[in-house]
Structures are given as structure tokens and as C-alpha cells.
Amino acid sequence: MRPRVVVTDFLTESRFEEEVLGDIADVSVLEATSEEELLSGATEADALIVFHEVPIGPALIERLDRCLGVVRVGVGFDNVDRQAAGARGILVCNVPDYGTEEVADHTLMLLLAVARRLVTTDQSMRKSQWQYQTMLGAPRLRGQTLGLVGCGRIGTAVALRARAFGMRVVFFDPYKPAGYEKALGVERTATLEELLPQSNFLSVHCPASKETRHLIDRRAIDLLPVGSYLINTARGAVVEHEAILAGFASGRLVGAGLDVFETEPLVCEELRQDDRVIMTPHAAFYSVEAFPEMRRKAALEVRRFLEKTPAVNVVNRHFLVDPRAPLSPKLDGEP
Ligand SMILES: NC(=O)C1=CN([C@@H]2O[C@H](COP(=O)(O)OP(=O)(O)OC[C@H]3O[C@@H](n4cnc5c(N)ncnc54)[C@H](O)[C@@H]3O)[C@@H](O)[C@H]2O)C=CC1
Ligand SMILES: O=C(O)C(=O)COP(=O)(O)O
């Protein structure tokens, strides 16, 4: 019998996965919105390809008797229970390298749009107004400090772009090797508390995890300079929505550019109604080039499982007991 590969979440067709896997496996799409739906359709799979919307938790993992591995079509793997999968020998992989530039560009787009008042000014023009009053308070970017929470692939790409605008860049990332800041030509702080009071602009680029949940809370926002801007293209869980609203009320924040939210796809009503917020629907990753690339790369990882060649982007290595598929030696920077 040919192995079965199930592609889940909001994907409606499996063209890219078929291209990569069609000669060795049967690929099917299961458009699930909950783990329960996966329980009735995915338990016979030899491999799963999943997006970020549906949680892959212990109840499903318990039933994955044949599954060699779960591949996240994307970077963030916070919706997959890596430990539960590892305990059953199921590999969890991600696709770390498909959309770094897109997310960095999107971050700068949000930063520029909030700083240069793009949306309110555009709306005013559409009402046949011709005035610069919507620009009042807009800062000169050159010389402003951009604080980065997390300076991995995307944080680094953002730093390079922000430097071209003349911004001073400082990051907090406890896991970057000593001297990384020198190689990049920026500065770093040893703690988040040291980063925040310097950050006229704060941009979040760390993964969502137990450690980073609500890392940016009211206390953190209170440490920002008055009149700051917040950008989040990482994960909604890292920034407490209530803290953004409190930051607007206290004047610590005057603008926010958000691509990700605590309760996707629902967006907190107060944020939606506030024209100091510019929003996009978890879309920073997308480009015509990135979308097929992420899907082909995810399918290639599955191909490695099925052909018993070592999997590359394994993100649950330290939880794995008796892995069901071979894995490559640990890569530098692998979680
Ligand atoms: N909005 C979107 O469409 C997309 C969002 N993302 C999100 O962006 C995140 C970052 O992506 P990459 O830069 O490619 O990942 P990465 O793994 O290269 O970088 C993440 C960095 O965060 C650092 N970090 C971990 N814990 C931290 C903490 N407590 N405080 C400060 N820094 C911490 C790590 O040391 C690492 O350097 C992903 O985890 C994902 O959630 C990624 C792609 C698309
Ligand atoms: O790569 C990521 O982590 C992203 O957030 C974007 O891709 P996704 O929609 O999560 O598969």
C-alpha cells in the first residue's frame, strides 16, 4: 500500500505537495478547523503537513500510530505539541527558511505606515480632503531607536533594513552568541528591561513559547518611552492585547502595527476600532514566491521521512524517544 500524506488546515488543494510526493505517496487534503476534525480524518496518515491554525495536541498524537512525522508549513511550531509527539517517536519539523525577507519587509512596512500615518492620511484623501494634519506628531525616523525582541533570521533582516533608514538598532536575545551584535553592526542589551526604555519603536521577533507568553505585558509597555510604537509580526501570544490598550491610554504607545493577534482570526474589538492600530491578517509571510516555496519545502521533508533519508529541520529532537524516521545531525541554531 502506498503511504498516505494528509495536508490539513485551510489549504484547499494539494498541487505543490502532489508535485513533490505524487510518485511515492497518496496525498489528500483535510480542510480541518479543529483537532476533532483531524481525529476523524488524519489518524491513518503516514505523515501530516499542517498549517498554524489547528492545534496538534496529545489527543490526536495519541492516535497517530503510523505517522512518521508532522511538518509545519511555516516557521512557528507553537501549535504542535512537540513533547507529546517526541514521546511517541514522531518527528516534528518546520520550514525555517522560506519567508524571512517577506516578514522583514512587512515589519518595515507596518513601521513606516504607523510612523508616516499612511492609513489615516489615505482615508482623509479619499474624503476629498487635502491636508497634512493627519501627519501631526509623525517622527523623523533617522536617529530613532528600534528595539528588537529576538534577533534570529527575521530580527536580523529587520535590523539590516532599519539601519538603511538611519535608525539605531538594539536587540535583546538571550540565545544569540556573544559578539553577534558586532557582526551585525548593532547593539544589544542583556535584559528586556534594559531594552525597553530605549525603544521608541519596539518590534517582536521571538517565537511563541511558555517562556515568551505575554512577554510584552503592561509592565513592559510601561517601561517604553512616552510616544512609542509597537510592531508585532511574530505571534499574538507574545504581546498582551490589554497592554497595548493600556499603553494607548497612558500615552506610552501612540501607534501599533500588528500582523498577529492573541485570538486569531478574531481581533479584539477595541484594537479594531482604534485608528492608531494598523492591522494585517497574519499575512506577513506571503508572497507569490514564498507560498509555493514553503509548501514544496514541507513536502520535501515528508519525502525524506518516507524515503528513510535523514530529516533536516527537526524541532523536537530533545523530546524524541525512539524516532520513527532518521534525522540529520543537529544543525547550528536548531531549537
Ligand atoms: N507573521 C508571519 O507571517 C510569520 C511569523 N513568524 C514568526 O516569527 C518568529 C521568528 O521567526 P525567525 O526569525 O525565522 O525565527 P528564529 O528562530 O530565527 O529567531 C527567533 C529568535 O528569537 C530568540 N528568542 C527566543 N526566546 C526569546 C526570548 N525569550 N526573548 C528574546 N528572544 C528570544 C531566539 O534566540 C531566536 O534568535 C517565528 O517563531 C514565527 O512565530 C514567522 C514567519 C511568518
Ligand atoms: O511561518 C510562520 O510561522 C507563519 O506565521 C506563517 O505561516 P503559517 O501561516 O503559520 O503557516
Side-chain angles (χ1 to χ4, degrees):
M1 197 173 70
R2 274 159 54 96
R4 289 188 213 165
V5 178
V6 176
V7 184
T8 73
D9 277 58
F10 59 73
L11 297 177
T12 51
E13 45 84 17
S14 57
R15 180 161 44 106
F16 303 112
E17 291 76 14
E18 294 279 358
E19 268 172 35
V20 177
L21 292 163
D23 59 328
I24 58 166
D26 291 335
V27 181
S28 60
V29 172
L30 181 63
E31 258 191 274
T33 53
S34 69
E35 201 177 0
E36 288 70 46
E37 289 169 70
L38 290 183
L39 273 170
S40 57
T43 51
E44 298 300 307
D46 294 276
L48 287 180
I49 297 180
V50 306
F51 261 57
H52 69 252
E53 306 229 319
V54 179
I56 309 294
L60 174 66
I61 287 165
E62 198 45 48
R63 301 263 306 275
L64 296 177
D65 293 331
R66 307 162 49 91
C67 185
L68 301 171
V70 177
V71 182
R72 258 287 290 127
V73 192
V75 184
F77 42 80
D78 40 292
N79 61 320
V80 183
D81 188 330
R82 293 185 293 154
Q83 186 164 4
R88 297 215 65 206
I90 299 170
L91 276 60
V92 179
C93 299
N94 72 346
V95 180
D97 58 344
Y98 72 94
T100 303
E101 291 134 304
E102 282 78 358
V103 184
D105 293 346
H106 204 89
T107 303
L108 263 293
M109 182 275 289
L110 289 173
L111 188 156
L112 289 168
V114 283
R116 301 301 304 164
R117 313 289 197 260
L118 175 67
V119 175
T120 44
T121 305
D122 176 80
Q123 283 166 347
S124 140
M125 293 285 286
R126 286 169 202 279
K127 289 181 201 142
S128 303
Q129 289 162 352
W130 182 273
Q131 55 183 20
Y132 69 85
Q133 273 77 354
T134 51
M135 296 301 295
L136 292 180
R140 172 183 287 166
L141 280 188
R142 179 168 300 281
Q144 302 281 333
T145 298
L146 171 63
L148 303 175
V149 181
C151 197
R153 289 172 292 260
I154 295 169
T156 301
V158 168
L160 293 170
R161 285 157 174 72
R163 296 243 350 248
F165 284 90
M167 299 185 84
R168 170 179 169 245
V169 179
V170 186
F171 72 78
F172 163 66
D173 188 328
Y175 305 107
K176 284 316 255 192
Y180 185 73
E181 67 283 8
K182 295 203 169 66
L184 190 54
V186 302
E187 298 164 57
R188 82 189 288 173
T189 60
T191 63
L192 181 62
E193 287 68 26
E194 290 167 75
L195 180 78
L196 296 168
Q198 311 180 38
S199 302
N200 313 103
F201 289 79
L202 185 74
S203 192
V204 180
H205 300 290
C206 62
S209 66
K210 284 192 191 118
E211 178 197 352
T212 63
R213 184 179 153 69
H214 288 180
L215 188 64
I216 307 302
D217 57 7
R218 279 176 193 233
R219 203 182 55 89
I221 298 282
D222 274 344
L223 290 175
L224 292 170
V226 168
S228 299
Y229 296 82
L230 171 76
I231 313 296
N232 187 7
T233 56
R235 282 292 182 270
V238 182
V239 179
E240 196 184 1
H241 279 170
E242 294 297 328
I244 303 178
L245 297 168
F248 285 146
S250 70
R252 294 279 165 187
L253 285 181
V254 291
L258 306 174
D259 182 55
V260 288
F261 301 86
E262 277 194 82
T263 50
E264 295 175 12
L266 298 172
V267 176
C268 155
E269 190 57 22
E270 284 106 317
L271 289 178
R272 261 186 350 113
Q273 296 301 335
D274 198 314
D275 61 15
R276 288 168 290 193
V277 182
I278 293 182
M279 297 180 286
T280 51
H282 199 142
F285 73 97
Y286 182 82
S287 74
V288 171
E289 293 81 5
F291 190 64
E293 184 177 337
M294 75 201 289
R295 293 185 59 178
R296 287 202 183 99
K297 284 185 168 168
L300 268 176
E301 194 75 274
V302 167
R303 196 168 175 105
R304 288 193 273 270
F305 300 160
L306 300 179
E307 290 182 335
K308 306 271 181 253
T309 57
V312 180
N313 296 305
V314 183
V315 294
N316 69 335
R317 190 179 290 271
H318 48 293
F319 296 121
L320 272 166
V321 181
D322 297 333
R324 296 181 186 180
L327 45 165
S328 65
K330 193 173 185 321
L331 296 172
D332 230 18
E334 189 180 289

